[in-house]
Amino acid sequence: LTPGSQKRQRREYTDVHSNESNEEETLEFSANSNAASQSPDGEVGIIESIQLKNFMCHSNLGPFQFGSNLNFVVGTNGSGKSSVLTALIVGLGGKATATNRGSSLKMFIQKGETSADISITLRNQGRDAFKPELYGTSITVNQRISQDGSRTCKLRSKSGTVISSKKEELIGILDHFNIQVVDNPVSVLTQEMSKQFLQTKNEGDKYKFFMKATQLEQMKEDYSFIGKTKKNTRVQIEQGEERLEELKQLYLEKKEIFKSIAFVNDMQNRLKDLKHQMAWAVVSEMEKEIELLKEGVRAEEGNTELLQKVEECLVKVNEAEKRYKAIQDKLITVSEEAQALHPQCISLKAEVQAKRKTVNETEIVYNRSKTELKRLEKDREQLHKRIEELKSCANQVSEPEKLERQRRIAYLREQLKAFHDEEIMIGQQVDQFQQAISKCREEHSRLRRESSEVQQALDAQQKQLRDLKDSKTNTLKRFGPHIPAFLEAIEVAHKQGHFRKKPLGPLGALIHPKDPELILAIESCLKGLLQAFCCDNHSDERALQFLMSKYYARGHRPQIIVNKFQNKIYDTSQRAVRHPEFPTVLTALEIDNPVVANCLIDMRGIETVLLIKNSRRAREVMQCNRPPKNCKEAFTAEGDQVFERRYYSSSFVRPKFLSQDVEAEISHLDKEIENKRAQLTASQQRLCSIENEIRQNEDHLYGHRRHQKQLQVKI
């Protein structure tokens, strides 16, 4: 392939053979080249070589060295002739559809591979060379095609240095060399287009082919577009000229207004100067008046009578000052006395208020008693009248009737006593039923609370079991099912430049206990820090907070620690605990990243915390004797926390994040879940039993209260 402007030179034929590493077919090139007679002038845009890797069905084809003039590519079917032509079109920026060999670039990648590479070297010599100071005597175009159908272009110089990776630079090179590799069938004639051309008998189709090959069709479209643009531009110019006249008139009007405004500014400046002059004139007048007053004062100073008046006034002033001082002293004395009597005054006021309250209460009691006395006197009068009436009636009743009434009264009294006794018994039974119902309801509420707590624990354990099962394939899911996606989002954001330094976390995923028996102790010590993340600066922290808002609910986000990233672990030799028998948290962990170790040292002081498996031994080390130097606390294998004078039992039963035996954890959780389910079932059964008992007691209570009301009616 040579540019259209290139002159043909004398031809000489040679054969070039290139064996493909993974194929049996052989391509044969016949090249017209005469290196000795070539002139450097005009030798630009000539394809010097081409190489294909994982392209179509060829894993490694080339590199092929082409001659300066005419080149023939021959070979058996499947040897790669069409692949070279297709790679030439794609490598110089053509689309997949332009090759008639595929609809997408990813179809050109060899099966089983992830990418394909095309390398084309163009000659860049002579006076028409393209940026020879950058590229040198040749330009190499490297195209890489990815599985997603995208491609990346790199333009290299003669020495292999990457000069540019922009598509616009490649288009500029092709335009400069007059290479029309995509749209001109004279430059590249594919098999389909050659068949179509040879089978075409219509002169009109051949004319279209001629128009396309000579680019006259494109020129015609460009000419038509230029004509329309010219017409639109003329209309805009005419409109602009009309608008220009209006703007000129507006400019003259604004110019006149500006002149008048300038005159007003001059007048304002003149007014300001006159105001200053007037102010200084007032000052001058006042100075003259002051001079006259000074002369009057000097004249009065010679007057003797004035001096006598001044002395008399001074005497009066002294007397007034003495009286003022005496009054001031008296006022201070009175204030001190008032201050001394203030507590007594407060106590007397409180006493008066208390007595007033007592008087008011006494008056209320007196009025009530007076009212009650009047009511009782009225009742007494009524009772007296009733007694007199009964006496008069009794005197009139005969003796048998009196005896009958007495017997009736005795019978009614006995019946009344029986009713009273029954009422007392029923009241006691009602109290018993009420107490039983209250006790059952308390038991019911307690069981409901316990069932709710068991259900919550069961839900938490089931969630933990799911997380553990998921963690068998991905250990990061122990820290939450969304953690892998969140870490991937951090990686993408870091590649996009949103972080100065990539945040680290969760910290629990970056540490590894050396002794499995100390895992629970380490988790009890670090707690929430196992889920924390570490950032190098506050800008990265804000970016991480924004990213967390997409994956964590508010109030459930892990801690973010801002700590300058360093490449080595702190020197803790002066403040670390050194015990011959027990390790610290720092020495019990394998921490590959020094940033993680420094973060745990700063936040938890892991170099000062001992790990002692046996709780009795931990008490001996920390409490029976003086704790080891620099030791602040210790943790046992059960997770208990031991201080010099205190001991706290752990709320953790099993490790959650750092456990190394996942199957054992899953088996243990399965057993605990079964126990919780059995406990929940027993609680539900007990609740049903208590509810039935409450209903029975309420029925009994209702019956006894109804009987109690009947007795009250009888009484």
Side-chain angles (χ1 to χ4, degrees):
L1 176 68
T2 59
S5 62
Q6 194 67 26
K7 294 182 179 180
R8 302 298 179 186
Q9 298 181 1
R10 186 167 53 86
R11 299 178 179 177
E12 181 179 333
Y13 294 93
T14 59
D15 292 336
V16 180
H17 298 276
S18 175
N19 294 326
E20 184 178 348
S21 59
N22 297 325
E23 299 183 10
E24 296 179 357
E25 293 86 358
T26 300
L27 289 180
E28 182 178 309
F29 291 84
S30 295
N32 172 5
S33 62
N34 187 354
S37 63
Q38 289 175 355
S39 172
D41 293 337
E43 293 189 355
V44 292
I46 296 174
I47 298 175
E48 293 185 343
S49 68
I50 184 168
Q51 183 177 5
L52 313 179
K53 289 184 179 180
N54 302 326
F55 188 79
M56 297 181 71
C57 58
H58 308 282
S59 59
N60 188 10
L61 193 62
F64 303 124
Q65 302 296 330
F66 293 97
S68 301
N69 299 311
L70 187 61
N71 294 270
F72 293 90
V73 182
V74 295
T76 60
N77 290 338
S79 59
K81 303 185 298 298
S82 299
S83 299
V84 172
L85 183 61
T86 303
L88 190 62
I89 296 172
V90 175
L92 294 180
K95 296 182 180 178
T97 54
T99 64
N100 292 323
R101 301 301 297 267
S103 59
S104 175
L105 291 176
K106 60 184 178 182
M107 298 175 66
F108 296 134
I109 301 175
Q110 188 180 14
K111 187 176 181 181
E113 300 295 336
T114 58
S115 64
D117 294 303
I118 302 171
S119 179
I120 301 172
T121 302
L122 302 176
R123 187 172 297 172
N124 189 40
Q125 298 178 4
R127 61 189 177 189
D128 293 332
F130 182 82
K131 298 181 182 178
E133 67 281 359
L134 290 177
Y135 289 98
T137 59
S138 64
I139 300 174
T140 302
V141 181
N142 290 335
Q143 292 275 9
R144 167 161 286 192
I145 304 171
S146 302
Q147 276 186 329
D148 57 358
S150 63
R151 60 179 167 186
T152 55
C153 174
K154 291 183 180 180
L155 301 175
R156 300 180 183 272
S157 65
K158 174 70 173 178
S159 60
T161 305
V162 177
I163 303 299
S164 177
S165 58
K166 296 181 179 178
K167 183 179 179 182
E168 292 79 5
E169 182 80 358
L170 176 60
I171 294 172
I173 291 173
L174 297 178
D175 289 343
H176 185 81
F177 292 164
N178 195 20
I179 297 176
Q180 302 164 11
V181 71
V182 178
D183 300 325
N184 196 334
V186 173
S187 296
V188 176
L189 187 64
T190 61
Q191 290 180 0
E192 293 297 325
M193 190 170 288
S194 64
K195 291 178 183 178
Q196 182 180 356
F197 174 70
L198 293 173
Q199 293 173 2
T200 300
K201 297 180 180 179
N202 189 353
E203 297 297 332
D205 292 338
K206 291 181 179 180
Y207 178 73
K208 289 179 181 178
F209 184 83
F210 167 75
M211 292 286 286
K212 189 173 183 181
T214 57
Q215 292 191 325
L216 290 175
E217 185 179 357
Q218 181 65 35
M219 291 173 65
K220 183 180 178 181
E221 292 177 358
D222 293 344
Y223 181 77
S224 176
F225 176 75
I226 290 169
K228 291 179 182 179
T229 305
K230 180 181 178 182
K231 185 178 179 181
N232 293 335
T233 305
R234 284 189 181 279
V235 173
Q236 291 178 359
I237 289 172
E238 291 173 0
Q239 293 175 352
E241 288 176 349
E242 295 175 0
R243 180 61 179 160
L244 182 61
E245 292 297 327
E246 296 176 2
L247 291 174
K248 283 182 179 179
Q249 187 65 29
L250 183 62
Y251 165 71
L252 294 174
E253 293 175 1
K254 297 294 183 182
K255 188 175 181 182
E256 292 297 326
I257 295 172
F258 177 75
K259 287 180 179 179
S260 62
I261 291 173
F263 177 73
V264 171
N265 289 335
D266 294 339
M267 294 296 291
Q268 287 179 346
N269 293 332
R270 178 63 178 161
L271 178 62
K272 191 174 181 181
D273 294 338
L274 291 174
K275 285 181 178 179
H276 291 165
Q277 292 178 10
M278 184 179 70
W280 282 110
V282 172
V283 171
S284 179
E285 291 294 330
M286 293 299 295
E287 286 179 347
K288 292 178 181 178
E289 291 179 5
I290 290 170
E291 286 297 328
L292 293 174
L293 290 172
K294 284 182 178 180
E295 290 177 359
V297 170
R298 284 195 292 271
E300 289 293 334
E301 283 178 354
N303 193 344
T304 312
E305 294 179 359
L306 182 62
L307 293 174
Q308 291 176 353
K309 290 180 180 179
V310 170
E311 290 177 357
E312 291 175 0
C313 289
L314 289 173
V315 171
K316 291 179 180 179
V317 168
N318 291 332
E319 292 176 355
E321 286 180 351
K322 290 179 181 178
R323 287 198 299 274
Y324 170 76
K325 188 174 181 181
I327 292 170
Q328 191 73 19
D329 294 339
K330 189 175 181 181
L331 180 62
I332 292 170
T333 305
V334 171
S335 298
E336 291 176 353
E337 291 177 356
Q339 192 71 22
L341 294 173
H342 184 67
Q344 186 178 359
C345 179
I346 292 173
S347 63
L348 290 173
K349 284 182 179 179
E351 187 177 351
V352 168
Q353 288 178 355
K355 288 184 177 180
R356 280 181 181 173
K357 186 177 180 181
T358 304
V359 169
N360 292 333
E361 292 175 353
T362 306
E363 286 180 353
I364 292 170
V365 172
Y366 170 74
N367 292 329
R368 287 178 181 173
S369 301
K370 192 174 180 181
T371 304
E372 184 70 15
L373 179 62
K374 289 180 180 180
R375 187 181 65 77
L376 291 173
E377 287 178 351
K378 190 175 180 180
D379 291 344
R380 185 172 64 82
E381 291 176 0
Q382 291 177 354
L383 289 172
H384 273 296
K385 289 179 182 180
R386 180 63 178 164
I387 289 169
E388 291 296 328
E389 290 175 357
L390 291 173
K391 283 181 178 180
S392 61
C393 290
N395 292 329
Q396 296 175 1
V397 175
S398 61
E399 191 66 26
E401 289 179 349
K402 287 182 181 180
L403 292 173
E404 182 63 27
R405 284 185 177 181
Q406 288 176 355
R407 285 196 300 272
R408 179 66 178 167
I409 289 169
Y411 171 73
L412 290 174
R413 282 177 178 172
E414 290 177 358
Q415 196 172 12
L416 183 64
K417 184 176 182 302
F419 285 155
H420 275 302
D421 294 340
E422 188 176 358
E423 184 184 17
I424 291 170
M425 182 184 67
I426 290 174
Q428 291 174 351
Q429 291 178 351
V430 167
D431 292 339
Q432 290 175 357
F433 283 125
Q434 285 179 340
Q435 291 176 1
I437 290 171
S438 177
K439 186 176 180 181
C440 287
R441 283 177 177 167
E442 289 177 0
E443 181 70 13
H444 187 269
S445 298
R446 184 183 65 78
L447 286 173
R448 286 284 297 275
R449 286 195 303 272
E450 290 180 357
S451 298
S452 177
E453 292 172 357
V454 171
Q455 185 65 50
Q456 290 178 359
L458 179 62
D459 293 340
Q461 287 178 341
Q462 287 176 339
K463 181 180 180 300
Q464 187 178 357
L465 181 62
R466 289 194 299 271
D467 293 343
L468 277 174
K469 288 181 178 179
D470 290 341
S471 69
K472 290 171 68 176
T473 56
N474 190 341
T475 56
L476 290 173
K477 289 188 177 180
R478 288 193 188 181
F479 301 89
H482 54 277
I483 286 294
F486 179 56
L487 293 179
E488 187 175 350
I490 291 176
E491 184 68 31
V492 172
H494 178 58
K495 290 180 179 178
Q496 293 175 351
H498 295 166
F499 296 108
R500 297 179 189 172
K501 292 186 178 180
K502 179 183 172 184
L504 298 176
L507 298 183
L510 304 175
I511 62 176
H512 308 285
K514 298 177 182 177
D515 188 349
E517 295 183 6
L518 295 176
I519 291 177
L520 183 58
I522 294 171
E523 283 200 14
S524 299
C525 175
L526 299 181
K527 295 181 180 176
L529 289 174
L530 294 171
Q531 296 177 280
F533 285 77
C534 185
C535 289
D536 175 70
N537 53 78
H538 290 285
S539 174
D540 289 352
E541 178 198 14
R542 289 190 292 272
L544 187 61
Q545 284 280 16
F546 175 75
L547 205 58
M548 278 185 177
S549 64
K550 300 178 181 179
Y551 292 88
Y552 291 90
R554 184 176 293 276
H556 295 83
R557 298 178 188 173
Q559 181 181 1
I560 299 178
I561 303 163
V562 180
N563 193 8
K564 191 69 177 175
F565 287 5
Q566 298 184 20
N567 295 325
K568 61 179 182 178
I569 300 178
Y570 296 149
D571 181 11
T572 60
S573 57
Q574 299 299 321
R575 61 177 185 269
V577 182
R578 298 187 182 280
H579 196 279
E581 187 177 354
F582 306 113
T584 63
V585 178
L586 178 60
T587 57
L589 289 173
E590 289 182 0
I591 308 176
D592 298 330
N593 196 323
V595 174
V596 177
N598 293 340
C599 187
L600 295 177
I601 290 170
D602 287 336
M603 298 302 297
R604 190 62 182 86
I606 58 175
E607 78 282 9
T608 63
V609 181
L610 281 178
L611 298 178
I612 305 172
K613 294 180 182 180
N614 185 274
S615 58
R616 184 183 61 79
R617 188 77 177 94
R619 288 179 185 273
E620 291 177 359
V621 173
M622 295 298 295
Q623 296 178 348
C624 294
N625 299 312
R626 188 181 181 88
K629 184 181 178 182
N630 297 329
C631 183
K632 296 181 179 179
E633 56 188 305
F635 284 87
T636 67
E638 291 80 17
D640 297 343
Q641 191 175 14
V642 187
F643 291 94
E644 185 176 359
R645 293 183 177 85
R646 291 165 292 163
Y647 189 99
Y648 297 106
S649 297
S650 173
S651 58
F652 298 101
V653 180
R654 306 278 302 176
K656 182 179 180 182
F657 300 109
L658 303 179
S659 176
Q660 297 171 351
D661 190 353
V662 179
E663 294 295 338
E665 291 296 323
I666 291 174
S667 175
H668 179 77
L669 272 177
D670 282 332
K671 292 178 182 177
E672 287 189 353
I673 288 171
E674 289 300 323
N675 292 337
K676 285 286 189 298
R677 284 175 178 166
Q679 187 177 352
L680 195 61
T681 303
S683 297
Q684 295 293 338
Q685 292 175 354
R686 178 61 180 155
L687 280 173
C688 292
S689 173
I690 290 175
E691 287 172 357
N692 292 331
E693 188 175 350
I694 289 173
R695 281 195 293 271
Q696 292 175 1
N697 287 332
E698 285 178 344
D699 292 341
H700 290 311
L701 180 64
Y702 175 74
H704 279 70
R705 280 181 174 169
R706 187 174 56 192
H707 191 194
Q708 192 177 31
K709 287 181 181 179
Q710 292 173 356
L711 284 174
Q712 288 174 354
V713 170
K714 290 179 181 179
I715 290 171

